[in-house]
Amino acid sequence: MKDQDLSIGIDALAIAVPEGFVELADLAVARGVPPAKYVEGLGVRRMAVAKPHEDPVALAADASRRLFRTADVDPSSIGLVVVGTETAVDHSKPVAAYLHGLLGLPSRCRVYEAKHACFGGTAGLLTAMDWIASGSARGRSALVVCTDIARYALGSAGEPTQGAGAVALLVTSSPRLLALEPGVTGSYARDVADFWRPLYKKDAVVDGHLSVQCYLDALAGAYDAWEETSREVGQDPDDVVRRCYHVPYGKLARKAHRHLAALRGFADAEADASFDIEVAPSLRFPSEVGNVYTGSLYLALASLLDAEAEQLEGGRVGLFSYGSGCCAEYFAGRVQPGAGPFTEKLALGAPLAARKRLELPEYEAIRRGDVEADQRPAAATDDAGALERVAFLGVDSDRRVYRA
Ligand code: CAA
């Protein structure tokens, strides 16, 4: 049986962030750069810094547990787990397998990891929608988790665009937050060398200015495909009241919004006039956390819902996902009736409040420790953070050990 008449979408979401962050103004001073270049030029304020025990598995587990708790989700209702990440912890064992254990999920469950730079989470979300639409879900829900630690070399141009965090999305056939539109998406792909991470490196390699151009080209291609599909199915592509973008740094969302406006026949001044209403509410969480790669678009969505879910009920939101290399998708969803009070219950921004500012020497020491963390014996770990959070303790006979 195919459940084609079902409304499918994001039922609930939750975020997890490391407990430490760096003020970008502090980083600018340390690197001999005017703070205005980072804060205004790139549109970044803070970046989350993951300690070695806050690895992508621990962040993913924290976001998922928070999702289950705040949205009253029974883990036994999960039948599919897809983890999108480009900072995986193993070449074979997926983060999703660790999650399955840490979350106590049912054995009748499909679990795997999806990789395509920052696009992996969206690939998971689209697959989860298809899984439900095909009838394979049989009443069960999908858990899609985006988790990453964005690292560039210390002192590089990419350094101020780092960050870390996870976003967990529950995808169901009765979404309480955002009903998506299965089949109405616009894809774009092209083989480009804008950003990648060779297997032997922990830091990403990037051709920064090319990556910005590739992102904007992909936006044009994906939007064009989406617009055409929307018209084919009788939808008005201009019926969008808010726009969320992949946000490697805030300024790129502004550039994206101008680029999209130009494609739609509007001048820069008109794009700038609509920016504060259509885009700015989605940038508060990203400006607190930095780039979270796969989760970046969904951190922006969380920020938007946290700010405006109630007033947006019934409104349509445009979403742009970009993964270097590259693959991109434009799609949209409608904010559901009741999303306002439900979002309040989810307290999406709460994890941002309980954090500590790191001094630059602490940040640099964490980065040095991070390089060795994957080889450190579990028994040697002494700094595993607050007790209620999942922590990566180290390795034992090449096995990663977690404190649940
Ligand atoms: N006061 C105010 N603004 C200033 C300034 C000052 N003193 N000095 C410079 N600026 C402005 C510049 O005018 C510029 O603004 P515009 O882009 O509007 O012209 C902005 O600050 C940045 O300056 P530069 O272009 O000189 O910055 P840079 O060359 O040092 O690096 C970057 C910028 C290329 C984005 C770099 O940070 C980088 O490589 N980041 C990582 C790659 C990335 O995030 N790419 C995004 C697209 S790829 C993607 O989306 C996938 C992903 O997640 C990685």
Side-chain angles (χ1 to χ4, degrees):
M1 181 199 72
K2 289 195 174 189
D3 294 338
Q4 277 165 341
D5 295 332
L6 293 175
S7 154
I8 300 172
I10 299 174
D11 180 61
L13 55 78
I15 70 171
V17 289
E19 66 174 12
F21 67 86
V22 162
E23 290 284 352
L24 266 299
D26 294 349
L27 181 68
V29 170
R31 299 291 177 253
V33 170
K37 173 173 177 182
Y38 291 173
V39 179
E40 287 150 36
L42 292 174
V44 289
R45 200 164 81 87
R46 291 174 169 173
M47 64 182 195
V49 177
K51 290 187 176 170
H53 67 267
E54 297 171 310
D55 80 347
V57 172
L59 291 168
D62 279 339
S64 306
R65 282 184 176 179
R66 185 170 169 78
L67 172 79
F68 290 169
R69 191 174 66 247
T70 56
D72 296 324
V73 176
D74 178 356
S76 70
S77 66
I78 305 294
L80 172 70
V81 180
V82 189
V83 174
T85 185
E86 57 186 288
T87 48
V89 298
D90 192 279
H91 292 312
S92 172
K93 183 168 174 176
V95 173
Y98 289 101
L99 263 194
H100 185 267
L102 288 164
L103 300 176
L105 298 178
S107 56
R108 288 190 180 187
C109 194
R110 186 181 298 156
V111 300
Y112 62 94
E113 192 172 284
K115 178 181 75 180
H116 187 140
C118 304
F119 185 74
T122 300
L125 174 60
L126 296 172
T127 301
M129 286 163 64
D130 290 346
W131 177 71
I132 293 172
S134 71
S136 297
R138 300 189 181 283
R140 293 169 300 168
S141 307
L143 176 67
V144 177
V145 188
C146 311
T147 184
D148 272 304
I149 297 174
R151 292 186 196 87
Y152 299 93
L154 295 186
S156 70
E159 187 182 26
T161 64
Q162 298 177 117
V167 184
L169 309 167
L170 188 74
V171 186
T172 73
S173 56
S174 48
R176 286 172 283 182
L177 291 181
L178 193 73
L180 296 169
E181 298 161 1
V184 190
T185 68
S187 312
Y188 174 90
R190 192 173 158 215
D191 179 4
V192 287
D194 63 332
F195 166 107
W196 65 102
R197 189 169 63 85
L199 291 176
Y200 52 85
K201 274 185 179 273
K202 254 199 151 165
D203 297 341
V205 182
V206 63
D207 184 339
H209 291 280
L210 174 68
S211 74
V212 172
Q213 193 52 53
C214 292
Y215 173 113
L216 296 176
D217 291 347
L219 172 60
Y223 185 81
D224 188 52
W226 175 76
E227 193 179 37
E228 193 178 311
T229 309
S230 293
R231 292 200 199 284
E232 277 167 17
V233 299
Q235 285 183 355
D236 176 5
D238 292 325
D239 172 30
V240 166
V241 294
R242 297 289 182 273
R243 297 183 192 273
C244 295
Y245 298 96
H246 172 60
V247 192
Y249 54 95
K251 180 70 153 299
L252 194 49
R254 187 177 281 277
K255 284 182 197 268
H257 195 58
R258 277 190 172 189
H259 197 65
L260 193 57
L263 295 169
R264 298 172 58 232
F266 297 104
D268 282 357
E270 290 169 285
D272 291 348
S274 65
F275 181 85
D276 284 348
I277 295 170
E278 292 187 11
V279 186
S282 66
L283 298 183
R284 193 173 72 77
F285 288 6
S287 79
E288 288 282 330
V289 180
N291 194 357
V292 290
Y293 288 164
T294 50
S296 168
L297 169 64
Y298 305 101
L299 188 66
L301 177 64
S303 184
L304 173 68
L305 292 173
D306 187 62
E308 298 191 328
E310 185 147 18
Q311 76 181 78
L312 289 180
E313 286 181 20
R316 198 156 170 239
V317 178
L319 302 156
F320 174 62
S321 179
Y322 176 74
S324 289
C326 72
C327 185
E329 201 93 19
Y330 201 93
F331 56 113
R334 205 169 282 283
V335 180
Q336 293 299 281
F342 182 51
T343 305
E344 264 184 48
K345 184 169 168 305
L346 295 176
L348 296 173
L352 299 176
R355 298 188 301 161
K356 285 188 212 136
R357 174 178 176 166
L358 299 171
E359 300 300 331
L360 258 289
E362 288 178 275
Y363 152 66
E364 290 180 353
I366 289 167
R367 285 294 303 264
R368 283 193 294 277
D370 198 27
V371 174
E372 276 108 49
D374 291 347
Q375 279 87 46
R376 196 166 51 185
T381 302
D382 49 8
D383 175 22
L387 280 173
E388 68 272 16
R389 299 186 66 169
V390 176
F392 168 53
L393 298 179
V395 292
D396 183 1
S397 307
D398 278 336
R399 289 164 174 79
R400 294 178 81 85
V401 180
Y402 289 88
R403 189 199 54 217

